[in-house]
Amino acid sequence: VIWRRTGRPEEPSPPDLLQHLPVGVVLVDREDVVRTANATAERLRLVRDRQLAPIELRRLVRAVRRVGDLQVVEVELPNADESLPVRATGRPLPDRDVLLVVEDLTELRRVEQVRRDFVANVSHELKTPVGALILLAEAVREAAGDPKAVDHFVERMQAETRRLTKLVDDVISLSRLQTGVPPGVARLPVYALIDAAGQQVALAAEARDVRIDTNVPDSLAVTGREAELVVAVKNLLDNAVHYSPPGSTVRVTAERDGDNVRVTVADTGPGIAPIDQQRVFERFYRADPARARTSGGSGLGLAIVKHVVTNHGGSVSVDSALGEGSTFTIRLPAAEAPARVDA
Ligand code: ADP
């Protein structure tokens, strides 16, 4: 028992520990009077006038007594405005007492919903390029005698294939990131991450006549997984280049900000309206769907950035005004300088 072993006065006592469990715990005696209920049980409104409030839980208690064994139910408890999904476990105790453990499933249900939406979105997004490829293949066959037309359709097939590949790659990296493996301790110089990302967008930048200007001190470093952090910076650069007007400059800076390293990527593109600024980090959200459809973006780029930096203990935000460009900022915990080894 931890509190005995350490014996420090500020350690919580056993009843406090019970109070702070994230599940509701209720002890009901043989007369159906609630003997003990922890804070979570109160918050979930399981108890009123020393009785179990939800009829579903009273039924569970009776079932436990009848069967004389552990009983588990998943039910929606009617609550003030919306119902509360819970998993309730009842365990018989001596003297016909019953111990109830009630787990709030709201967050779990929300995650399940997000996952279902994601699958539906992916299927929908896959349909567009696949449908285009089917039509283009038919067009190629019909244009068989016309080499110029064939060339044109094949080029479009290649574009749709690239789009499909990007979507599939992004879906795969997103689902990998969601497992939330701790980022490890490799020390990564920030300039190297930005250089590597810059190289990956160099061709696209050249094609659009956009300059990438970086100002990154050598001394800054973060810890984590290099490949993921490079992808995060690359996705920001990709967007910045993509939305920049030809002939303009994308500026990348990095600096120390307290315990963090702050990396910013600024463009002079169309900007993002305030109502879209939080939502652009959601999967498949596009501020301008029509433009995105022609641009071949997967709609997952910023969601990937957000997952990477969150998994690394950091954050990402955007500062933008319509017509004035956008500045994306990544904050990551700074790696301390390696300890000096004196000879
Ligand atoms: P996409 O693959 O569509 O670019 P992202 O997740 O990278 O997906 O971006 C989501 C949306 O955010 C884009 O569709 C676009 O509307 C908006 N956006 C992202 N970066 C910028 C930027 N630098 N300037 C203007 N809009 C941007």
Side-chain angles (χ1 to χ4, degrees):
V1 248
I2 297 158
W3 57 88
R4 291 248 177 81
R5 201 172 50 207
T6 58
R8 285 202 298 266
E10 71 271 23
E11 294 290 340
S13 62
D16 279 349
L17 285 177
L18 188 65
Q19 285 300 331
H20 293 107
L21 276 182
V23 291
V25 180
V26 183
L27 180 67
V28 183
D29 73 9
R30 58 188 309 164
E31 312 288 334
D32 283 339
V33 175
V34 170
R35 287 285 162 213
T36 316
N38 71 351
T40 307
E42 304 288 342
R43 185 174 59 75
L44 300 178
R45 307 210 183 126
L46 304 183
V47 181
R48 195 184 321 120
D49 299 332
R50 307 200 62 200
Q51 301 278 322
L52 278 175
I55 183 158
E56 294 82 354
L57 296 187
R58 294 203 294 268
R59 266 194 215 121
L60 175 64
V61 168
R62 283 201 295 277
V64 169
R65 288 208 190 99
R66 198 171 55 241
V67 181
D69 201 355
L70 195 80
Q71 299 288 305
V72 184
V73 290
E74 281 191 17
V75 284
E76 302 275 330
L77 300 182
N79 223 346
D81 357 280
E82 46 192 88
S83 65
L84 176 75
V86 299
R87 179 185 295 125
T89 307
R91 174 185 285 281
L93 294 177
D95 281 342
R96 297 180 68 76
D97 287 359
V98 173
L99 180 69
L100 285 183
V101 175
V102 180
E103 192 183 342
D104 181 354
L105 299 181
T106 309
E107 179 58 17
L108 192 72
R109 289 285 143 79
R110 197 190 59 78
V111 170
E112 285 168 356
Q113 184 60 42
V114 167
R115 208 163 281 162
R116 272 197 297 274
D117 290 351
F118 182 60
V119 171
N121 275 328
V122 169
S123 320
H124 179 79
E125 297 284 334
L126 284 171
K127 265 191 193 155
T128 315
V130 170
L133 282 172
I134 293 169
L135 294 179
L136 287 165
E138 277 169 21
V140 168
R141 172 178 288 163
E142 276 164 25
D146 180 350
K148 259 183 110 173
V150 168
D151 256 8
H152 169 74
F153 291 132
V154 167
E155 238 164 62
R156 287 194 43 203
M157 288 179 85
Q158 284 172 330
E160 292 298 338
T161 313
R162 275 195 297 275
R163 179 185 164 120
L164 205 53
T165 310
K166 177 160 172 20
L167 177 62
V168 171
D169 285 348
D170 283 357
V171 168
I172 290 171
S173 48
L174 199 56
S175 63
R176 260 199 212 121
L177 288 170
Q178 275 162 351
T179 55
V181 189
V185 293
R187 189 171 190 283
L188 309 166
V190 174
Y191 75 85
L193 298 174
I194 293 175
D195 271 2
Q199 277 168 26
Q200 293 183 32
V201 301
L203 274 180
E206 202 179 313
R208 295 186 53 85
D209 189 23
V210 171
R211 248 176 65 101
I212 300 179
D213 187 284
T214 58
N215 181 4
V216 182
D218 288 350
S219 58
L220 295 176
V222 294
T223 49
R225 281 188 289 266
E226 181 173 12
E228 288 180 15
L229 291 169
V230 169
V231 165
V233 177
K234 185 210 140 219
N235 286 358
L236 293 185
L237 283 176
D238 238 357
N239 285 343
V241 165
H242 182 78
Y243 288 99
S244 283
S248 67
T249 300
V250 168
R251 287 181 209 285
V252 185
T253 68
E255 57 195 341
R256 182 79 185 224
D257 174 17
D259 289 338
N260 291 323
V261 170
R262 187 171 61 204
V263 176
T264 64
V265 176
D267 65 61
T268 53
I272 302 169
I275 56 158
D276 293 322
Q277 286 178 12
Q278 278 318 301
R279 302 206 58 196
V280 290
F281 298 102
E282 292 172 16
R283 293 171 291 192
F284 294 116
Y285 188 82
R286 283 132 179 181
D288 181 353
R291 187 196 196 104
R293 213 166 297 126
T294 56
S295 75
S298 69
L300 295 175
L302 291 176
I304 290 174
V305 176
K306 186 169 173 184
H307 273 287
V308 170
V309 298
T310 315
N311 284 356
H312 282 77
S315 63
V316 57
S317 59
V318 61
D319 183 21
S320 179
L322 278 181
E324 289 176 21
S326 314
T327 300
F328 284 84
T329 302
I330 290 179
R331 284 189 180 73
L332 289 166
E336 291 316 322
R340 259 183 49 198
V341 184
D342 289 321

